[in-house]
Amino acid sequence: MPYALLTLLLGIALGIGYMNNSILPFLEAKPHSGGLSALIERNNYQGDLALTCILVALYLIGFTKHKNEDEFIDFLRYQSLLKAALFQTAGIVIGTWFFGGLTFLNIMLLNLFSFLLLFLVFFKVQLYTTGKKMRK
Amino acid sequence: MKSNLKTIRIQSGYTQEELAQKVGSSRQTVYAIETGKFYPSMVLGLKLAQVLATSVYDLFELEATD
């Protein structure tokens, strides 16, 4: 878990840097000379690295075995996945109908993380509330 | 499905934590079964019955809506 959190922080830092055009020198890309490689042409690899770090970290935080991993935890995971899928789909549908242009693109960008984020939130909240009720 | 786990557990003198340890599960799971929030798998149901020296039919009852 600490490694996952560190990876998440690294991803967020790289992402913020990417959005503010503060690109680390060793992540600058050399320009391609046309051809098929032009399809994936980019100025740097910082955005790719940031996205990878964030997604991998969120996956690890969400799916790393819990200390009391058993069938009830599996059940909570399953329920959280269902809810996350529902909310993400609803978000995309609403975004499609009510937003356009750059705002819609931003919503789609957020959707890259939203499924894992929603899953993580639902799962942790369910775990916390069950634990809290149990202690009462 | 109605769960009689809490009554039988208390009669047998186990705490939630002790029972959970005996069946290789967590206290949260035992609590969730007792409150009807979660239905255990057949394996866990049989383990609970074994530890509590009872039958799964005593631990769990089908209701009219099931």
Side-chain angles (χ1 to χ4, degrees):
Chain A
M1 189 71 108
Y3 295 112
L5 283 173
L6 279 176
T7 312
L8 182 64
L9 289 176
L10 176 69
I12 291 170
L14 285 171
I16 291 170
Y18 177 76
M19 286 183 177
N20 294 322
N21 282 325
S22 313
I23 307 300
L24 296 172
F26 64 92
L27 291 172
E28 298 276 1
K30 287 181 184 135
H32 291 285
S33 54
L36 195 61
S37 64
L39 288 173
I40 53 164
E41 193 159 355
R42 65 202 71 197
N43 297 326
N44 61 74
Y45 295 100
Q46 189 157 323
D48 310 59
L49 188 61
L51 189 60
T52 307
C53 284
I54 293 172
L55 287 175
V56 169
L58 286 176
Y59 179 86
L60 288 175
I61 294 168
F63 292 96
T64 302
K65 275 202 165 187
H66 192 262
K67 60 181 175 182
N68 294 324
E69 188 80 26
D70 62 2
E71 57 186 72
F72 178 59
I73 301 284
D74 285 344
F75 170 73
L76 290 185
R77 276 189 210 286
Y78 168 70
Q79 280 202 325
S80 308
L81 280 171
L82 285 182
K83 277 189 199 168
L86 175 71
F87 274 73
Q88 193 200 25
T89 308
I92 295 173
V93 171
I94 290 167
T96 306
W97 281 96
F98 294 101
F99 299 97
L102 199 61
T103 316
F104 180 69
L105 279 178
N106 283 331
I107 290 173
M108 287 297 113
L109 182 70
L110 186 68
N111 260 311
L112 289 171
F113 319 101
S114 66
F115 184 73
L116 284 171
L117 263 178
L118 285 168
F119 162 73
L120 202 58
V121 169
F122 289 134
F123 180 57
K124 295 289 178 190
V125 166
Q126 278 186 312
L127 262 182
Y128 174 75
T129 49
T130 313
K132 200 176 168 188
K133 280 180 194 161
M134 186 181 71
R135 281 188 289 275
K136 273 185 183 171
Chain B
M1 194 168 77
K2 189 186 165 206
S3 168
N4 299 319
L5 179 62
K6 188 173 183 179
T7 318
I8 297 175
R9 172 181 64 77
I10 292 169
Q11 281 171 359
S12 306
Y14 283 107
T15 62
Q16 285 178 338
E17 188 70 54
E18 286 167 348
L19 183 60
Q21 275 182 359
K22 287 264 182 189
V23 295
S25 204
S26 68
R27 191 183 154 202
Q28 266 184 331
T29 306
V30 174
Y31 166 79
I33 298 169
E34 284 183 356
T35 49
K37 286 182 169 38
F38 169 65
Y39 299 129
S41 67
M42 194 188 284
V43 175
L44 185 55
L46 287 168
K47 276 185 187 176
L48 288 166
Q50 195 177 43
V51 170
L52 296 168
T54 185
S55 145
V56 277
Y57 292 106
D58 294 327
L59 281 179
F60 306 105
E61 287 172 37
L62 282 175
E63 289 177 304
T65 48
D66 289 325

